[in-house]
Amino acid sequence: MSRAVFVDASAWIAITNRRDDYHFVAQELYRELLAGKTPLFTTTWVAYEALSSKTYPHYPRQNYGRCSGCSSALPYPPAG
């Protein structure tokens, strides 16, 4: 069995929003994970954040980038 993958709000937004810059990449990765029966998990807060972006179109989005060597989306540039 594959290792479980954490799906952050940025991924859910990209998967469901055709206007998102990462929509097609996110959809392809999502389909690959589903085809491979990879367990996906998220949190209630992540679901709230993703749904808030749908409910409130002007909800502030961070600039998300990919971390080399990992499959999760991370805020970029890092806060600090």
Side-chain angles (χ1 to χ4, degrees), residues 20-59:
D20 190 277
D21 293 340
Y22 297 101
H23 174 71
F24 296 105
V25 173
Q27 263 198 337
E28 182 61 29
L29 181 57
Y30 183 63
R31 287 183 180 133
E32 288 175 20
L33 292 170
L34 292 179
K37 299 186 189 261
T38 303
L40 305 176
F41 70 99
T42 195
T43 66
T44 304
W45 180 250
V46 166
Y48 171 78
E49 183 180 3
L51 290 170
S52 293
S53 75
K54 294 286 190 189
T55 306
Y56 303 103
H58 302 294
Y59 181 77

